[in-house]
Amino acid sequence: KAGVTQTPRYLIKTRGQQVTLSCSPISGHRSVSWYQQTPGQGLQFLFEYFSETQRNKGNFPGRFSGRQFSNSRSEMNVSTLELGDSALYLCASSLSQAGVPYEQYFGPGTRLTVT
Amino acid sequence: AQKITQTQPGMFVQEKEAVTLDCTYDTSDQSYGLFWYKQPSSGEMIFLIYQGSYDEQNATEGRYSLNFQKARKSANLVISASQLGDSAMYFCAMRENGLNFGNEKLTFGTGTRLTIIP
């Protein structure tokens, strides 16, 4: 079974631009979560999507948004990029069924550099 | 307050020795899940082991075991017979209200960088 894939792997953008990151979950997984990892703040939860609906949201500004498509693929968008948005963005997928503690499987991440 | 605390920023261990990575957590939920992930320098987070708050036995997965002490709110990862490939960052994470459908949010600790010395 193919793992979680993320594209692109590396991205360099300029302040003020916007960026879209993509995540394809493991086949059959309906939940997709996004995390931001920085040296200063560590790993922080951005949001989670399930069946095209955002179920959970972390404490990030509205510049960070996402969506999920009917095939469970997810995209994350960051508008008006700031230097502090430079980070590794990790996507994770899960079966997410009630009463069962399924683990989340992570993709390789997209490393975003904002200059 | 930190929900997940990993007090060891870095550890050096001789190859083939066992190593314990510490993790303490804070939650008022009765149902929660604890996870350990490994992150090599490539960046991908690799799932290692899971412990549910209601699990009576400590979880084990190959060379990995989880020393779960609920009253002390600790969930230490034990790696037996360490190998050079075990060198990586290790993160402890918690999912509160762990079995509740609709909550996939993981809260991570700051991680421990483990270096295995040949």
Side-chain angles (χ1 to χ4, degrees):
Chain A
K1 222 180 204 183
V4 178
T5 57
Q6 291 186 246
T7 56
R9 294 292 311 279
Y10 302 91
L11 209 48
I12 300 174
K13 290 286 189 179
T14 305
R15 266 184 306 175
Q17 288 186 316
Q18 75 163 13
V19 67
T20 299
L21 312 182
S22 180
C23 172
S24 292
I26 291 171
S27 177
H29 286 192
R30 295 163 66 192
S31 168
V32 174
S33 299
W34 289 88
Y35 294 84
Q36 181 196 65
Q37 185 176 24
T38 59
Q41 299 298 318
L43 279 150
Q44 292 186 289
F45 173 78
L46 279 155
F47 31 64
E48 185 237 346
Y49 286 85
F50 182 86
S51 290
E52 302 178 64
T53 301
Q54 187 181 87
R55 279 201 306 198
N56 293 291
K57 189 176 188 303
N59 191 24
F60 277 81
R63 299 185 298 107
F64 291 82
S65 63
R67 60 178 175 167
Q68 186 180 35
F69 302 94
S70 58
N71 61 359
S72 294
R73 189 177 71 87
S74 177
E75 286 182 348
M76 184 193 122
N77 185 77
V78 188
S79 63
T80 320
L81 283 165
E82 300 177 359
L83 294 178
D85 297 333
S86 295
L88 179 66
Y89 289 89
L90 292 160
C91 162
S93 77
S94 168
L95 276 170
S96 187
Q97 292 182 7
V100 184
Y102 286 106
E103 60 271 18
Q104 291 187 17
Y105 291 93
F106 283 79
T110 293
R111 187 164 295 281
L112 171 66
T113 302
V114 182
T115 63
Chain B
Q2 289 264 17
K3 290 204 168 188
I4 298 284
T5 303
Q6 294 182 254
T7 56
Q8 307 151 311
M11 288 187 72
F12 290 84
V13 172
Q14 206 73 40
E15 190 180 6
K16 296 179 186 169
E17 287 186 352
V19 56
T20 298
L21 305 181
D22 295 340
C23 172
T24 57
Y25 60 91
D26 182 30
T27 181
S28 56
D29 285 349
Q30 296 302 308
S31 173
Y32 51 89
L34 296 158
F35 301 79
W36 277 92
Y37 284 87
K38 171 184 178 182
Q39 188 179 41
S41 54
S42 59
E44 184 170 351
M45 300 284 281
I46 301 167
F47 167 74
L48 296 177
I49 198 166
Y50 165 83
Q51 179 83 42
S53 58
Y54 290 119
D55 294 341
E56 294 190 353
Q57 293 200 325
N58 287 342
T60 60
E61 289 284 350
R63 294 186 301 112
Y64 304 107
S65 61
L66 203 152
N67 184 1
F68 181 48
Q69 297 187 43
K70 194 170 179 177
R72 295 181 60 188
K73 293 190 173 178
S74 77
N76 298 339
L77 176 70
V78 180
I79 306 174
S80 63
S82 57
Q83 303 170 355
L84 294 177
D86 294 334
S87 293
M89 281 290 287
Y90 288 80
F91 291 94
C92 179
M94 175 172 64
R95 184 170 65 205
E96 293 177 279
N97 206 1
L99 299 185
N100 183 35
F101 185 57
N103 178 30
E104 295 292 333
K105 174 186 174 182
L106 290 176
T107 301
F108 285 87
T110 51
T112 296
R113 182 171 296 282
L114 177 64
T115 303
I116 306 299
I117 305 165

